[in-house]
Amino acid sequence: MSSERVLNVGRKSLDDYIVEVILMFQEGSERVVLKGVGPYISRAVDLYNALVSRMGDSVELVKVGIGSERIKGRMKPFIAIEIRKKY
Amino acid sequence: MSSERVLNVGRKSLDDYIVEVILMFQEGSERVVLKGVGPYISRAVDLYNALVSRMGDSVELVKVGIGSERIKGRMKPFIAIEIRKKY
């Protein structure tokens, strides 16, 4: 397995996203990327912190990427938080 | 030299922060950490992107850290974007 899935963080509740992440891991994803664009960058970090406080040491931070990408003709900042489930 | 300085990103304009970062490098800082807490996380990423588009290849991303810290009794998410001036 070396599958990676991307979770786009938006307006849903953090609990909804936590469930989605847990399901992605259960379905065999090795890594999950929490992606937040524009105002959802802060929320992606919130989600990461919520996952750590909920799942503890079983979640490991692999890498944090930042940058900007063109969306509908405009450059928008993004964050990509890559996490891994340890056991 | 191995000095590192922290720039706390808040409400000031991106241009103000860009000038501050340039001055920090001119004053001999080897690395600068762009720190954003809570709603200013997105803004710290904005600042990083603005620096890259302004200074080009001379700015190098060293590391991006995320987490939460206690501020006035409350846990707040933060981002710490460490950059380096290459030449």
Side-chain angles (χ1 to χ4, degrees), chain A residues 51-81:
Chain A
L51 279 165
V52 169
S53 80
R54 205 69 73 85
M55 302 174 69
D57 283 344
S58 65
V59 171
E60 190 178 51
L61 182 62
V62 178
K63 196 172 63 185
V64 181
I66 54 172
S68 59
E69 62 182 15
R70 191 173 296 276
I71 293 175
K72 291 177 187 165
R74 284 196 176 183
M75 294 307 282
K76 296 259 191 185
F78 72 85
I79 193 168
I81 303 168

Side-chain angles (χ1 to χ4, degrees), chain B residues 20-34:
Chain B
E20 280 191 50
V21 170
I22 290 170
L23 287 176
M24 284 177 175
F25 282 133
Q26 278 182 354
E27 287 163 5
S29 301
E30 206 178 51
R31 286 150 196 258
V32 172
V33 177
L34 314 174

Side-chain angles (χ1 to χ4, degrees), chain A residues 14-75:
Chain A
L14 287 188
D15 281 342
D16 282 351
Y17 291 123
I18 288 171
V19 171
E20 280 191 50
V21 171
I22 290 170
L23 287 176
M24 284 176 174
F25 283 133
Q26 279 182 354
E27 287 163 4
S29 302
E30 205 178 53
R31 288 149 196 258
V32 173
V33 176
L34 314 174
K35 185 158 185 196
V37 177
Y40 297 112
I41 291 175
S42 304
R43 206 158 165 69
V45 178
D46 274 336
L47 174 59
Y48 167 74
N49 288 327
L51 279 165
V52 169
S53 80
R54 205 69 73 85
M55 302 174 69
D57 283 344
S58 65
V59 171
E60 190 178 51
L61 182 62
V62 178
K63 196 172 63 185
V64 181
I66 54 172
S68 59
E69 62 182 15
R70 191 173 296 276
I71 293 175
K72 291 177 187 165
R74 284 196 176 183
M75 294 307 282

Side-chain angles (χ1 to χ4, degrees), chain B:
Chain B
M1 283 197 310
S2 66
S3 60
E4 181 179 287
R5 283 175 70 184
V6 175
L7 179 76
N8 284 298
V9 180
R11 289 174 207 192
K12 282 197 263 179
S13 77
L14 287 188
D15 281 342
D16 283 350
Y17 291 123
I18 288 172
V19 171
E20 280 191 50
V21 170
I22 290 170
L23 287 176
M24 284 177 175
F25 282 133
Q26 278 182 354
E27 287 163 5
S29 301
E30 206 178 51
R31 286 150 196 258
V32 172
V33 177
L34 314 174
K35 187 160 182 194
V37 178
Y40 297 111
I41 290 175
S42 305
R43 206 157 164 68
V45 178
D46 274 336
L47 174 58
Y48 167 75
N49 288 327
L51 280 166
V52 168
S53 81
R54 206 70 72 85
M55 302 173 71
D57 283 344
S58 65
V59 170
E60 190 180 50
L61 181 62
V62 178
K63 198 172 60 183
V64 182
I66 55 171
S68 59
E69 61 183 14
R70 191 172 296 276
I71 293 174
K72 292 178 186 165
R74 282 196 178 183
M75 294 307 282
K76 296 259 194 183
F78 72 85
I79 193 168
I81 304 169
E82 192 176 333
I83 57 173
R84 196 166 77 85
K85 194 164 184 295
K86 272 204 290 194
Y87 37 77

